[in-house]
Amino acid sequence: MAPEPMTSSLVGNSFGGALSLALAIRAAQRVRRLVLMGAAGVEFELTPALDAVWGYQPSFENMRTMMDLFAYDRSLVNDELAELRYRASIRPGFQESFSAMFPAPRQRSIEALASPESEIAKLPHQTLVIHGREDRVIPMATSLKLAELIPNAQLHVFGKCGHWTQIEHSARFARLVNDFLDEAA
């Protein structure tokens, strides 16, 4: 007798949300619960902010600008953090890999990341959908659509929050996700 497959709960942010959604569709039995935060995964119109993020060209100034797009609270974006992330973006091979993932025209990347709505609607998983109300990168309409499609979804919107819910509201975010993941199946 084959052992039962292990299950995991997935927490996916943005691009990672689209990947988590796709995995849950393709291997539903391996997923216990889903947390989708500022997630792609359904079709939407490319935002100027996402276009800028996906089109990032390494420089300290561009990193600083990109990070400003993520945060509602700009005090979280300082030169030290921008420098740290900029340095990570200039490691050998990073930029080549990153830019190859989302070539122009970038709308087609959104479409490629989108799972069929009919498949999303079949997901049996308890799902927590989280979004920052002031997110300029991924429109809140994506989370509204996911919450509408997934039968066992609940939606939480953080006010005064951009694309970084896990950073801008870290303590509340951690409590919300921990409580959700700790609930009995």
Side-chain angles (χ1 to χ4, degrees), residues 6-84:
M6 292 183 55
T7 61
S8 298
S9 292
L10 304 175
V11 180
N13 175 233
S14 199
F15 174 71
L19 297 178
S20 296
L21 190 62
L23 177 61
I25 289 168
R26 286 168 182 75
Q29 74 284 1
R30 302 199 77 133
V31 176
R32 180 178 168 270
R33 286 177 176 244
L34 281 171
V35 178
L36 305 172
M37 30 187 290
V42 293
E43 290 192 30
F44 62 93
E45 188 73 31
L46 177 70
T47 64
L50 182 57
D51 193 39
V53 169
W54 281 354
Y56 168 74
Q57 293 296 313
S59 76
F60 171 80
E61 294 77 19
N62 288 345
M63 180 58 74
R64 180 71 197 225
T65 299
M66 188 171 69
M67 291 177 62
D68 279 337
L69 295 171
F70 285 126
Y72 170 81
D73 179 358
R74 302 298 192 292
S75 71
L76 295 171
V77 180
N78 58 45
D79 287 347
E80 182 181 335
L81 180 59
E83 180 69 24
L84 182 68

Side-chain angles (χ1 to χ4, degrees), residues 12-22 25 34-46 50 54 102 106-107 109-115 120 123 129-131 135 137-147 149-150 163:
N13 175 233
S14 199
F15 174 71
L19 297 178
S20 296
L21 190 62
I25 289 168
L34 281 171
V35 178
L36 305 172
M37 30 187 290
V42 293
E43 290 192 30
F44 62 93
E45 188 73 31
L46 177 70
L50 182 57
W54 281 354
F102 308 110
R106 294 185 184 91
Q107 182 65 42
S109 294
I110 292 170
E111 293 159 8
L113 286 171
S115 293
I120 295 170
L123 287 173
V129 181
I130 300 172
H131 213 97
D135 189 337
V137 178
I138 304 291
M140 192 167 68
T142 63
S143 287
L144 294 171
K145 177 57 98 175
L146 289 167
L149 289 170
I150 301 170
H163 195 58

